[in-house]
Amino acid sequence: MLKISQPSIVVGDRTVDMARELLLDGRGRIVPLRPQAWAVLRLLAQRVGHLVQKDEILDEVWPNCEVTEDSLVQAIGDIRHALGAPGRSALRTLPRRGYMLVADGDSIERSDSSNAAATSTPNKIEEPSDSSIPSLSIVVLPFANIGGDLEQEYFVDGVTDSLTTDLSRIAGALVIGRSTAFTFKGRALDVRTIGRELNVRYVLEGSVQRGGNRFRLNVQLTDAETGAQVWAERFDKPAADLLDMQDEIVSRLANTLNAELIKAAARRAERLLQPDATDLYFQGKAFLSTGITPAVMARAKDFFERALALDPDHVEAAVAAAQVDFAIGSSSMAEDASALFRASEERLNDVLLRAPNHPRAHMLVGAVQIRTNRAAKGIAKCMQALALDRNLADAHGFIGLGKYALGRGEEAEGHIQEALRLSPRDARAFLWFMIVGMAKLMTNVDVEALGWLRRSIEANPNFALSQFHLAGASAMMGELEEARSSAKAGLSLDPDFTIRRYAISTSFLSENPRWLARRERLYEGMRLAGIPQG
């Protein structure tokens, strides 16, 4: 039930106190909301019963910030969670249009003294000390130009601009816009002061210095609350074409910062007694980045499902849960991979109804299509994801997998090299190395195949499927000692693995005759290495 009063609105058992800009529960206690989520709720409350277009909300709530529609979806999820079960249905989504705060039938009515208690001033308000600061909020300060070269000044400002835009694509991130960030150019301020002034959790600083024919770029990420350095990196590059170098540097920084920001948010979430859905999502993402084993997958999935139990509309948790199902099916960890692929695709399609421009959701739909004998469609879907986020290195990796599935394995390496160019230290690089190794194996370049598969294991020795692939490939080439060693290592990670289970999970990948013939050779190699038939 929704009631309107001046200056408060009652939604279920919650009160939107417009005068004090607070959301209160039935006992008058504050229900924490991040600033942007409150701003969205306030705008919808001001227009109760009317559609508010997405673009209007974005312009109103994020006027000086570079954000995507995903930030709005995340804010809506936060609001629904904060409204609780009695009031959640009052906030409605009109697909591709916007949102509306409504009531059923004649349930909109003026409040009177009978509901005054709901809006009365509580004797004591308990509020978390830093709940108003979004977990993934950051300002990119203008990089310092050491040396003062005018040509370099344009390059330095370009790096700052591009990085601000690219970081805004991180799911759920709030990135302070360029115009605001550049007001700090040349000012010597403590990062904690900047954090308080802009209400952000992290500050990114950098400098560029040219020496002869090389550029050196230093960057550091600082926790604005404590002043502690979270991450630092240095890049040395030949002074070639500045624009090309700028694109590469920004892509590498954006991909690395994405991972570092999520790890930092997860560490903070671990200390919370009552984590919310986003906190649980960050913990699951951080856990997921540690590898692909049955135990890791189960733990990560638990975090995402707990997040979705708290907030069924949490888009990022839904995408991450779908990624887990896809990863388990792709890694031959389950008997029924087809069921996992179906579940993953269904969940992702549901996400895209709510967030039609979500890059990772498009990419993962493409990945599922590639793994279920629809490689051409899957490649197109991954290209669509890259059009939405040019830094999505994983999309290049999946395109490489798609070329392998189509029997065009000789093209796979080029796509993997592009993924590595964008994210050379990526936690998932071991998967990309394995894809090239398998592509080489299927195109009869066996010696190179072994090199790439060994490289995959060096990058992550705890991924069972790489061990099993190396075991089969080594045995095919008469390297039985290495084959048996790899098989033993793989079975220690996934004791239930069998050739039969692997054959079932890969049967969806391709019907290309050349691919199928080489796969039979791989099965024989796995048998020679000592992997159970099943």
Side-chain angles (χ1 to χ4, degrees):
M1 184 178 190
L2 182 149
K3 298 180 181 179
I4 302 178
S5 66
Q6 293 296 331
S8 297
I9 294 176
V10 178
V11 184
D13 61 355
R14 300 286 194 259
T15 298
V16 184
D17 189 328
M18 305 292 282
R20 293 187 297 152
E21 298 202 341
L22 295 173
L23 179 64
L24 307 174
D25 68 11
R27 297 171 61 187
R29 297 172 303 187
I30 287 179
V31 179
L33 267 179
R34 305 174 199 274
Q36 283 69 37
W38 165 257
V40 173
L41 177 58
R42 179 179 57 201
L43 179 59
L44 294 173
Q46 289 169 344
R47 304 272 295 281
V48 65
H50 298 279
L51 167 69
V52 185
Q53 299 282 349
K54 290 181 180 180
D55 288 345
E56 182 181 351
I57 300 174
L58 290 169
D59 290 342
E60 176 74 22
V61 177
W62 289 276
N64 297 313
C65 298
E66 301 283 350
V67 296
T68 66
E69 191 175 301
D70 299 326
S71 296
L72 172 56
V73 173
Q74 182 66 59
I76 292 293
D78 288 345
I79 294 168
R80 286 199 173 108
H81 174 61
L83 290 176
R88 184 176 295 142
S89 61
L91 177 53
R92 297 185 182 174
T93 302
L94 283 73
R96 302 182 186 276
R97 298 176 64 196
Y99 300 92
M100 184 189 299
L101 196 60
V102 298
D104 295 330
D106 298 323
S107 58
I108 299 180
E109 58 186 72
R110 291 278 176 184
S111 67
D112 52 28
S113 58
S114 65
N115 67 314
T119 59
S120 62
T121 303
N123 294 326
K124 183 179 181 181
I125 295 176
E126 296 179 4
E127 188 172 13
S129 60
D130 66 346
S131 63
S132 65
I133 306 176
S135 297
L136 274 186
S137 50
I138 185 171
V139 59
V140 181
L141 294 180
F143 282 24
N145 178 10
I146 299 177
D149 184 348
L150 183 59
E151 181 184 12
Q152 187 172 306
E153 186 75 17
Y154 295 133
F155 167 73
V156 171
D157 286 352
V159 168
T160 307
D161 282 351
S162 296
L163 188 55
T164 298
T165 300
D166 287 7
L167 288 180
S168 72
R169 297 188 178 101
I170 297 175
L174 177 116
V175 184
I176 299 299
R178 176 198 188 280
S179 58
T180 298
F182 268 74
T183 63
F184 293 92
K185 187 170 183 175
R187 296 168 59 188
L189 291 176
D190 180 78
V191 293
R192 285 171 289 191
T193 302
I194 296 171
R196 286 192 297 269
E197 186 171 332
L198 298 177
N199 198 44
V200 294
R201 196 172 296 282
Y202 301 104
V203 175
L204 184 73
E205 302 170 278
S207 64
V208 179
Q209 182 176 15
R210 182 168 185 167
N213 293 321
R214 298 191 69 82
F215 271 99
R216 171 168 292 177
L217 187 145
N218 292 287
V219 289
Q220 67 176 28
L221 181 69
T222 304
D223 186 316
E225 183 183 13
T226 65
Q229 187 180 92
V230 176
W231 168 81
E233 184 62 276
R234 185 178 75 190
F235 295 88
D236 286 304
K237 295 287 294 180
D241 183 87
L242 288 182
L243 187 60
D244 288 344
M245 188 171 72
Q246 176 182 315
D247 287 345
E248 182 174 346
I249 287 173
V250 169
S251 295
R252 291 188 178 199
L253 276 173
N255 280 306
T256 304
L257 277 166
N258 190 338
E260 294 298 328
L261 285 167
I262 287 174
K263 285 192 289 187
R267 288 193 295 268
R268 185 180 293 272
E270 287 174 358
R271 301 194 294 269
L272 299 177
L273 295 178
Q274 292 183 314
D276 63 16
T278 298
D279 297 322
L280 292 168
Y281 161 73
F282 287 140
Q283 287 181 271
K285 283 289 285 186
F287 210 85
L288 192 59
S289 69
T290 62
I292 302 178
T293 68
V296 167
M297 292 292 102
R299 185 74 184 279
K301 185 71 177 292
D302 179 63
F303 277 118
F304 300 137
E305 295 295 355
R306 285 166 58 196
L308 288 167
L310 286 176
D311 180 4
D313 296 314
H314 199 293
V315 167
E316 300 308 328
V319 171
Q323 180 182 344
V324 171
D325 284 341
F326 171 78
I328 294 172
S330 298
S331 303
S332 302
M333 293 182 190
E335 287 291 335
D336 192 356
S338 61
L340 290 167
F341 292 144
R342 283 196 303 273
S344 179
E345 189 167 9
E346 287 172 5
R347 183 168 254 167
L348 292 166
N349 284 332
D350 179 64
V351 165
L352 289 172
L353 287 175
R354 292 176 283 160
N357 293 321
H358 196 293
R360 290 194 65 81
H362 282 289
M363 179 194 72
L364 288 168
V365 168
V368 173
Q369 290 173 335
I370 289 167
R371 285 294 277 109
T372 52
N373 199 25
R374 294 172 287 165
K377 286 185 177 180
I379 290 171
K381 202 70 171 169
C382 288
M383 293 297 292
Q384 184 178 357
L386 284 168
L388 294 167
D389 183 355
R390 62 176 182 158
N391 298 324
L392 207 54
D394 252 348
H396 290 287
F398 286 125
I399 291 171
L401 177 65
K403 296 295 181 68
Y404 158 62
L406 289 172
R408 294 157 57 186
E410 62 279 357
E411 299 176 36
E413 184 178 350
H415 295 289
I416 299 305
Q417 292 292 4
E418 182 62 16
L420 291 168
R421 185 186 74 83
L422 293 176
S423 190
R425 300 181 186 177
D426 201 285
R428 293 170 59 81
F430 67 95
L431 292 172
W432 304 339
F433 299 151
M434 184 188 72
I435 290 170
V436 181
M438 295 306 294
K440 297 285 186 184
L441 195 65
M442 293 300 158
T443 52
N444 298 305
V445 191
D446 295 343
V447 174
E448 289 187 34
L450 284 182
W452 281 94
L453 292 172
R454 288 168 183 154
R455 190 176 174 186
S456 174
I457 291 169
E458 287 171 4
N460 184 357
N462 296 319
F463 183 47
L465 195 57
S466 288
Q467 299 281 5
F468 294 132
H469 282 156
L470 180 59
S474 297
M476 287 168 60
M477 284 167 265
E479 302 284 347
L480 288 179
E481 184 176 348
E482 180 179 31
R484 289 167 181 157
S485 175
S486 293
K488 183 179 179 181
L491 289 169
S492 69
L493 295 166
D494 186 0
D496 298 325
F497 184 89
T498 64
I499 297 172
R500 182 187 66 82
R501 193 172 79 183
Y502 176 75
I504 292 172
S505 72
T506 57
S507 64
F508 316 110
L509 186 57
S510 179
E511 295 177 353
N512 181 278
R514 183 171 64 162
W515 192 93
L516 294 174
R518 292 290 285 178
R519 190 179 66 176
E520 289 300 324
R521 280 197 61 200
L522 180 64
Y523 294 162
E524 180 57 32
M526 287 180 170
R527 280 190 284 271
L528 290 173
I531 297 172
Q533 178 65 42

